Amino acid sequence: MANNPLIDIKTMLSHYNFKTEQITPERLEFRFKLLEEEFTELQTARENADAEETVDALIDIVVIALGTLELAGVDTAKAWNEVHWANMTKIKGAKPGRESDGWDLYKPLNWKAPSHADNHGKLSNLLKGKNL
């Protein structure tokens, strides 16, 4: 049976009591550094043609990214759906100016970007360095 990644993230955050602790600008910055660390691991895995570490780094990036949104009070499922539906209205093909051999998605004319205007959680204040 497959797990739901969003439920798993919430379970993990609760299990380790992250949800009971206040996120601060410093903790948000720490989360961003974790993402950078995982991306560096992904680059190393790619350079070494290491499939095991590639899978691990890609999943860790998703876990940290989704967990960061959750900790910042963003409705992650709502944000996911906004981006997913916007992506589903794109066109598959070669984006002008980007070599992709057609393995890309690009925005058609009149494409509507996802809106997260009512779903920033605590990010606006955290990014401005304000404690909550």
Side-chain angles (χ1 to χ4, degrees):
M1 178 186 333
N3 291 347
N4 179 320
L6 294 178
I7 292 172
D8 287 350
I9 294 299
K10 290 178 184 189
T11 301
M12 184 184 72
L13 294 174
S14 292
H15 177 78
Y16 290 106
N17 295 317
F18 282 110
K19 294 289 272 187
T20 62
E21 299 176 24
Q22 189 74 290
I23 188 165
T24 63
E26 295 77 20
R27 288 176 173 169
L28 180 64
E29 185 61 29
F30 172 72
R31 301 288 297 191
F32 290 158
K33 288 184 191 235
L34 288 176
L35 285 167
E36 291 171 358
E37 181 181 311
E38 289 302 331
F39 188 74
T40 298
E41 288 180 19
L42 175 62
Q43 290 174 309
T44 300
R46 181 175 140 216
E47 291 165 6
N48 294 333
D50 186 333
E52 178 71 17
E53 291 301 317
T54 298
V55 170
D56 188 69
L58 286 168
I59 294 296
D60 283 345
I61 288 168
V62 172
V63 167
I64 295 165
L66 292 176
T68 301
L69 288 169
E70 284 290 324
L71 291 169
V74 172
D75 182 337
T76 306
K78 182 177 180 179
W80 181 277
N81 288 335
E82 281 285 325
V83 172
H84 174 68
W85 289 111
N87 283 338
M88 293 300 290
T89 64
K90 292 181 178 179
I91 297 170
K92 182 180 184 235
K95 179 179 178 178
R98 183 162 63 194
E99 293 187 35
S100 67
D101 191 29
W103 244 51
D104 200 353
L105 297 176
Y106 65 92
K107 301 167 190 167
L109 291 176
N110 301 317
W111 180 79
K112 186 177 178 206
S115 174
H116 307 287
D118 63 342
N119 191 25
H120 295 166
K122 303 168 188 170
L123 284 173
S124 294
N125 287 329
L126 290 166
L127 290 167
K128 292 175 186 170
K130 296 179 185 175
N131 281 319
L132 306 172

